[in-house]
Amino acid sequence: MVRRRVVPLSRVGESAGGKARSLRWLLKKGHPVPAAVVVLPDAGADEIHSGLESFLRPGVRYAIRSSANVEDGSEWSFAGQFHTVLGAEGLEEVADAVERVRESVVDPPTAYFQRAGVEPADLRMAVVVQELVSAERSGVAFSRNPMTGLDEIVVEEVDGLGEGLVAGRSTPHRWIRRWGAWTAQPPARDPAVAADAADLAARIARDRGSPVDVEWAHDGREIFALQVRPQTGGAVPVYS
């Protein structure tokens, strides 16, 4: 039996890395996740092209993200440490973006690795190729306040795509919801999308049985979960 190295999200295993496995979990639990495939670490160029060709759709843009074996752990998330490409379209652009993300292993974030106690030689890089949500708003939602530990949901929100927020380059609007009511909210912002994000984080945390942070995007009609992680306990900031 021929082993496929570009696999549907629903069929990924251990070699697909933390991000892909978390997305598979979200999908199986019925949470809204954009369609995706995963390029496994040992996939060759011909396998990547043939696998992507059967998945990509004309006129659709894609997000190409790392899914390393060290990402999204309970202590260290490695969020923003590897390359991401947003908006690639067509086979050649997407295949090139996959290779750029895979090359993140060539020059890994050494200081971060040292603090996390991870040897760069142990890094294995799978890549998630996911339909890009045309986001009107996006951000991160925490099911428990990561700075205080209080049982309240924190939503951070930006207009458009949220990659700058996740990488620490953008300052977001911040909402805090406790016992179903906003205890902090930015002025002159419609709370409807933030409420959707808070509800999504609460549902996912309930299914996981532990606090989570959720990357999300809202296209003006519905909200999507782009990633879920356990809330990290490492000695690095986990939100802006």
Side-chain angles (χ1 to χ4, degrees), residues 24-204:
R24 178 196 62 190
W25 179 88
L26 286 168
L27 187 66
K28 289 188 174 182
K29 288 294 184 179
H31 298 292
V33 176
V37 293
V38 180
V39 179
L40 299 181
D42 56 349
D46 290 343
E47 294 170 309
I48 292 172
H49 274 75
S50 62
L52 292 176
E53 194 169 28
S54 63
F55 169 69
L56 302 178
R57 297 191 293 134
V60 176
R61 297 187 301 153
Y62 293 87
I64 296 86
R65 293 188 168 97
S66 64
S67 183
N69 57 328
V70 298
E71 288 185 271
D72 300 339
S74 59
E75 292 296 321
W76 298 85
S77 72
F78 283 79
Q81 298 300 312
F82 300 111
H83 199 50
T84 293
V85 179
L86 300 180
E89 184 177 345
L91 179 59
E92 293 308 315
E93 276 191 25
V94 173
D96 179 69
V98 168
E99 192 56 36
R100 289 162 60 190
V101 173
R102 280 156 63 102
E103 288 174 355
S104 297
V105 304
V106 176
D107 186 22
T110 305
Y112 193 103
F113 269 59
Q114 289 173 345
R115 292 198 299 273
V118 174
E119 292 295 330
D122 295 333
L123 177 63
R124 299 292 181 269
M125 181 64 75
V127 181
V128 175
V129 179
Q130 189 171 45
E131 290 188 5
L132 183 67
V133 178
S134 298
E136 292 188 0
R137 295 188 191 180
S138 54
V140 182
F142 300 86
S143 66
R144 184 181 297 273
N145 192 316
M147 303 302 287
T148 66
L150 291 175
D151 186 14
E152 56 190 12
I153 297 175
V154 177
V155 176
E156 295 199 326
E157 171 196 88
V158 295
D159 293 325
L161 297 174
E163 202 61 33
L165 169 60
V166 174
R169 298 189 302 268
S170 301
T171 301
H173 302 282
R174 183 173 298 150
W175 308 72
I176 300 177
R177 191 174 78 179
R178 191 174 192 187
W179 300 332
W182 298 117
T183 60
Q185 62 187 100
R189 296 285 291 186
D190 182 355
V193 172
D196 284 349
D199 291 344
L200 179 64
R203 292 194 301 271
I204 293 172

